[in-house]
Structure formats: structure tokens, C-alpha cells
Amino acid sequence: MSLENLTQDWSRYRNGIEEGGFHNYEHRWGMAIDLNACIGCNACSTACYAENNLAVVGKERFSKGHYMHWMRIERYWDEDQAKAEFPDQGANFLPMLCQQCGAAPCEPVCPVAATYHTPDGLNAQVYNRCIGSRYCSNNCPYRVRYFNFWSYPESAWPAPLNLQLNPDITVRDKGVMEKCTFCVQRIRVAKDTAKMENRKIKDGEFTTACAQACPTSAIHFGDLMDAESAVTKLWAKHQVKRHDDEGLPVSTQHKQNPALRGYRVLEELNTDPSVMYLERVREELA
Amino acid sequence: MKETELHHDKDIREDLAWSQINSDIMKSLENPRRGFWYTVIGCLVLLAIGITAEVLQYMYGMGRSKNHPHMWNLYIATFIFWIGMSHSGTLLSAILHIVHADWRKPIYRFAEAMTTFSLMTALLFPVIHLGRLWNFYWVIPYVPARGTWPNFRSPLSWDGFAIMTYLTSSALFLYIGMLPDLAIARDNTTGWRKKLYSTLSLGWYGSDRQWRIFRKAYMLMAIFLIPLAVSVHSIVSSDFAMSIMPGWHVTTFPPYFVSGALYSGCAAIVTLFILLRYYFRWEEYMTLAILEKICKLTFAIAMVWTYLNLVEFASVWYGHDIYGKEVLWAKMTGAYAPVFWSMMFFGSVLPFTLAFRKLRRHIPTMMTVSILLNVGMWLERWMIISPTLSQSFYPWSWDVMWPTLTSWGIVLGSFGWFGLLFLTFVKIFPSVSMYEVKEMVYHRRLASEKAQAERRNTGGAQPAFSLSMRKEDGS
């Protein structure tokens, strides 16, 4: 290796650090979740369990924190709700799944590079490479990575539930980390089909299990690199921008109009999430 | 005992005959007090508990000891604790060696052994805490069939390199420093010991050339080890400082970790000092004057640690990071508050007992205090890990977790493992450096002869005893 090579490599490395994140995306799968439409019915979560063969851990293990729900519905109450007539009612829902960050904190910390960034804009998790150090989960600000604390073989699904297991899904045994993949198996099928038919993937050609199951169509899924996709238009409408878009170095909404509802969770951490949420609009309590 | 009280101001008696030093130290290989064997049994019990817990965890899964936000908890806390403990061996054997502190000579050998064995204990934890520990070697950069490297950006893989380097060098340093003593052991034993020491002493016969090369090698290793020791714990601290979590992402972590490491290591040296002194009846060598010196050192480091703690609190408090501030506040007032305040008490208030001469010279007090200081330092490591995991950025995942029996079992087992390694070492190898104690005695003798001569010249008072001892043994 010549000295020139070395210095070139070094400057590429330096620039890579300064620009941060991943570039040259083929696709950038993203979401827009409309909290105005979300009714907290958990259909997305259920669909995710069915699609991705997630283990149902049972009440006891769930309460110990051994849950495996890649998609979860979080409930938040306003402070003045406690004084209301029905304090348990009127929750705000937040469907939370892996945000597939553009600059993901989970990726650099994995000692064996079991989690990495794909040219599709996904944080891929290679189960077979994972040794279970759980560093990624510790460094995930959204806490959306789930660890296989126990073994869930096929027999863990009592018959006839074992018949609904999805054959397209990789098996995970105890000791590995797993998380939402944006239904990568569906992405693969769509890409392969498009390639065979020698065309580009059409917007809305396929969607994730959660988006498919949502009764109020609160979840929109699509390619953020496709200027014509519904998701891109939603992002643009709410002036939420990806970091690599227009070379924005820091997390800036560039939102001119504060009435716009789009935001990304914990954006100040510079993680560049691929999921945009649309704030819920509520009437003022008299 | 009476003898030591008589000469309580001296690090060591200058009239010790060299043959007596040899025989006193070699005796440790034969007949320790019964307490030694009781400790061995205790360690075996602890190790059995640890192995049982590990087998259970291996068979059924990590769910026996962890839950969702608390992915690290006790194992990594105990890992930092053991890594930290290893630092003082290097402090005593390398740093004090190059600054020519004579008083380190009778005690550095076991401190260096402590370094090696606590590193070996620490190494267990990153492996035990893995979900798939049978694949731990994937962190090592070898070229596997799949052509994948470990992730060089991850602080966990830096940990692997740093610890392995430190372990290799400190074991080598321990061994090099032992060469002349192994030769003495070879000349004074029979049977399997003779064979063992003959092989290990590498044909040492004490020629001038050998001594010259030996001194150079030893000094070189000492100089090499000092930056290594500092960097190892800095790298361990970057497991946390390099993450983005509130309470971990702290710039002062490397010095904070290093000072904490030296602190717990010094306290552990005090504990082991007292134990060895008792097991092998080494009151002549491990004198109260030396104990006092380590205690003073521990006190100084305790104050550095306290200061760095306060710096960390202040910078979090006055910084505008609400997440970090909330984690700090939760530490002080939340579910872990009793643990946090015990840590502050054991780590910052208790060391003031070391400031009093009477207490420093009282063996039972020092034994208790040194153990409690280490309890405090262990709690510190736990308080670095758990509060952040229990209350990070995302309120949905806030959760307080107390360790399960399985994880306690493995933590206890690690103490048994360390104890067994250490006790085996002190029973097989001379754990006080004979040649350096001779050196020390010789230095003292020269100094006192010089003082005597000066007194004679100036017509001062007569010394309390005459010094007729001369070199008796050449090895």
C-alpha cells in the first residue's frame, strides 16, 4: 500500500465521520404515522406478532420486561387528565417501532457488526452474527430493541397457532437481539418482483404488516427517495427533512409554520429517524 | 509482635539476616496458619455458587438475570470493579518502582499478582454477560471463513484489545520480577517444586550480566505498563462515555474511572496485606509502617475520587442537559437513593478514618474499613450502570430493577474465583519479593550506618543497638 493510498483512505475516513450517517441510498424506507387517526386499537402490534413470528411471552414474563413486541402502542395522559371525570380515558397513543435512524446510535457500538446500515436505509440486524452483548439496546434512545431472554422454539406456539407461523422469517433463538425490520421480507419480495419485471418499485405496491392492518390508515409507508411517493409528499407537506436531504448537517425541521404537525421523536439527539409522526390535535378543555 | 512494636517507625528492621529473609519467606510455601485453609474453603463454596448460577443462566437464558431496559446491570458493574482492582498492582509495582519508593518492596509482588488475577476475573464478565457466550471469540479480529471483522468502532471491541494487552503485560511483568526469587526457591526446595522452579527460573544464577539485563527488562516493562494501565480503564470508561445515554455520556469518565480504579485497588491491597501478614506470620516484613503508607496513599486517592465525583455532579447540574440532570436527581432521590448514598458514605466519608494514625495502626479497623471501601467502590460501579438504564431518554422504558439471585450468585462466584487464584499463587510462589527486601534492608543498613558515623563524628548520642550484621548470603 502506497503512502498516497493511506492518506486517501484516511481523508475518506475523516470525511465519513464529519458528514456522518449513511449516504448513497438506493431506497430510504420511511413512515408517517398520523396520531390524529390512531385509535390505539393495537391492530398494528397484533399484525406484527403474526407477520414476524414474535413470541407471546405471557403475563408474567411481560411484567418482568421480557416482552418481544417490535411494535408497541404507548399511552400517555395529559397532566390535567387526572382531575377529569374519567381519568383512565383520553390517553394519547404513540405507536413506537424501530425508527430506522439514518445515524443510528445502535450501529457503531455493536462489537461484532451484527447491526449495520443497508443501502435501503434500514438498520439491519444479522441474527446469526449477534453474540448478545446488548450494547445496541443500551444505546438505543427509543428502547425499541428486544432481546431473546428465553428460547421460543416452534413448540412455544400451541397448536394450531404454530400453523400461522410465517415461513419467510429468520429464526431467532435465545441470546440474540431483534427488532422491527420494516417487514424486510416484504421489501425483498417487492424488489425481486420489480427486478424480474424490469421496472421500478411502485409506491403502494406493498406495505408493512402494521400499515396494512391499521383500520384508520394512520400508518403510511413508502420510499422517501421516491419524490412521488405518498410518504415523501407527507414529509414535504409538514416540512420534515432527512439529514442527507439538501445536505442538512444538523437536525433542523426548517419548519416555517408552527401549525404544521410533523415531528420526529427525540430528534434533538441527531439520530435522523425515518419515522415522522403527525401530532394529535385536541380541542381545548373548557 | 513485640519486636514490631519496638521498631514501629521503621519500614523494616535493618538487622534482618539475608538467610533469615529467605527462610521466612520460603516458609509461606509450606505452613500457613489454619485461617488460610478456611479461606480456601470459603472461596470454593463461593465458586460453586457462581458455577451453579452460570449453568442455570446458560441453560435457561439471560432472562434469569436481566430484563428489558436493564441489559447490563450487575455483570458489567462487577466487570468494571475487577478491572479497577487490577490497577493498583501496577501503581505499586511500576509507578512506585520508577519513583524509587523503597517501602513498596515487601508488598508489590502480591499486588502485582492481584492485578493479574483480578484481570482474569474481570475477563469472565463480558463473556458471561453475552447472550450467546459460546460465540465470544467473534470479538477477536481473526480472519474467519465468512471474511467478517469485528466492528472496530465499538468500544466493546477496544475493551477486548486493551484488557488482553494489559493482562499479557502484567503477567509478564509479574513473572520477570519473580525470576531471582524463583532461583532462590529452586535452591531451597525438593520434589515437584524443585522441578517447577528449575523450569521457571530459566537458569538464573545471579551473575552480574544477568542482573544488568534483568534490571533493564524490569524497568522497561514498568515504563511500558504505566500508560497501559491508565489507558485500559479509560477505554473501559468509553463503553459508557462513547454512548449517548444520559449519565454515561460524560467527559470526565476516563479520569474518574482511573481514580476509582486506583482507589479500590489500594483498598484491596490493604485487605490482602492484612490477610497475608496473618496467614504467613509476616509481621517482620509487612510492618505497620508500610500499612500506614498504603493507607495514606488510599486516603489521597479517595480524595481525588471524591473531587472528580463532585466535578461530575456539578457539570451535570450546571449543564443544560435535562436528561442527564434527571438521571442525577433520580440517583439522589429515586429508588436507588439508598445505594447511592451508601456509595457516597463508603467512598467519601469513611476514608477519613485513614487520616488518623491510631486507626491506621489498628489492624481490625483497617481490615473492616478496607473491605467497606471496596463495597463502596462496587456500589459506585453499580450506580454508574443501573440508574441510567432505569431512566434514560424514553419515559416508556423507565423501570427500576433489582438484581436477581442468579446474578448475585455469579457476582459472588467471581470473588471465589479470584480468591482461589490468589491463594493458589501465594501458596506456590514467594509472594514477598526476597531479593528486593534484601535490597531494602541493605539500603536501610547503609543509611543507618551513615547516620551513626555522622553522630559519632559530631559526638552525638549512642545508637540504641549496634549493627554488626554483614552480608551473609550472596543470592
Side-chain angles (χ1 to χ4, degrees), chain B residues 3-77:
Chain B
E3 201 78 344
T4 22
E5 274 164 27
L6 202 95
H7 305 295
H8 63 264
D9 280 320
K10 295 195 173 95
D11 287 347
I12 199 156
R13 270 171 47 196
E14 58 257 51
D15 58 347
L16 275 174
W18 289 19
S19 59
Q20 193 199 340
I21 296 175
N22 277 2
S23 67
D24 279 353
I25 305 231
M26 292 300 292
K27 247 194 285 175
S28 72
L29 308 181
E30 288 152 21
N31 61 340
R33 275 189 225 252
R34 194 168 284 173
F36 178 86
W37 297 110
Y38 291 144
T39 324
V40 170
I41 293 170
C43 288
L44 278 172
V45 171
L46 288 181
L47 186 62
I49 294 174
I51 290 175
T52 316
E54 169 56 22
V55 167
L56 284 174
Q57 179 183 285
Y58 180 87
M59 282 167 60
Y60 295 106
M62 289 305 289
R64 292 192 71 87
S65 38
K66 305 280 154 175
N67 74 17
H68 179 245
H70 289 265
M71 291 294 192
W72 279 356
N73 211 313
L74 280 200
Y75 296 159
I76 296 298

Side-chain angles (χ1 to χ4, degrees), chain B residues 146-400:
Chain B
R146 266 166 277 181
T148 41
W149 290 103
N151 182 5
F152 293 111
R153 288 187 298 168
S154 167
L156 269 189
S157 61
W158 308 343
D159 266 7
F161 305 132
I163 297 167
M164 289 310 287
T165 317
Y166 190 36
L167 178 61
T168 323
S169 341
S170 65
L172 201 59
F173 190 52
L174 173 66
Y175 176 56
I176 291 179
M178 237 175 4
L179 272 177
D181 281 0
L182 287 171
I184 299 176
R186 173 197 63 198
D187 298 342
N188 289 292
T189 48
T190 51
W192 65 271
R193 282 185 184 271
K194 179 116 186 156
K195 273 187 199 155
L196 176 74
Y197 302 133
S198 302
T199 317
L200 287 181
S201 57
L202 302 178
W204 179 273
Y205 56 95
S207 70
D208 274 3
R209 182 161 178 273
Q210 281 187 336
W211 275 107
R212 255 200 318 275
I213 295 171
F214 169 78
R215 293 284 181 204
K216 265 185 206 157
Y218 192 75
M219 184 58 104
L220 205 68
M221 282 304 291
I223 292 166
F224 177 66
L225 260 179
I226 295 165
L228 197 61
V230 175
S231 72
V232 166
H233 222 48
S234 307
I235 286 175
V236 169
S237 79
S238 50
D239 280 351
F240 306 97
M242 291 276 172
S243 82
I244 62 170
M245 288 296 130
W248 286 0
H249 188 71
V250 178
T251 328
T252 52
F253 258 25
Y256 178 55
F257 270 52
V258 173
S259 71
L262 293 176
Y263 186 9
S264 72
C266 278
I269 286 174
V270 174
T271 312
L272 295 176
F273 178 99
I274 294 169
L275 283 178
L276 288 187
R277 176 185 153 103
Y278 170 75
Y279 292 152
F280 301 130
R281 308 173 180 90
W282 274 341
E283 288 84 3
E284 288 278 18
Y285 301 94
M286 303 191 169
T287 55
L288 290 180
I290 294 179
L291 179 64
E292 265 206 275
K293 288 190 166 108
I294 326 172
C295 287
K296 283 177 193 164
L297 191 64
T298 314
F299 179 71
I301 297 170
M303 291 303 109
V304 172
W305 179 83
T306 308
Y307 169 73
L308 285 170
N309 240 336
L310 295 178
V311 165
E312 192 203 317
F313 297 157
S315 56
V316 170
W317 193 255
Y318 290 108
H320 288 294
D321 181 21
I322 50 163
Y323 304 108
K325 212 166 172 175
E326 272 182 20
V327 169
L328 181 63
W329 189 243
K331 268 190 204 176
M332 290 173 171
T333 59
Y336 293 117
V339 184
F340 177 81
W341 291 111
S342 335
M343 158 200 135
M344 290 309 289
F345 176 77
F346 289 140
S348 297
V349 181
L350 198 63
F352 279 95
T353 49
L354 302 172
F356 299 98
R357 188 162 187 273
K358 268 222 170 96
L359 291 175
R360 278 202 303 260
R361 304 182 77 87
H362 191 244
I363 297 268
T365 312
M366 275 306 102
M367 185 72 185
T368 322
V369 167
S370 66
I371 288 175
L372 287 180
L373 291 183
N374 256 325
V375 169
M377 291 317 288
W378 185 85
L379 294 177
E380 181 227 334
R381 275 59 187 258
W382 187 21
M383 280 306 98
I384 287 171
I385 296 199
S386 277
T388 290
L389 289 177
S390 81
Q391 188 174 341
S392 62
F393 292 112
Y394 209 64
W396 178 86
S397 67
W398 288 0
D399 183 26
V400 170

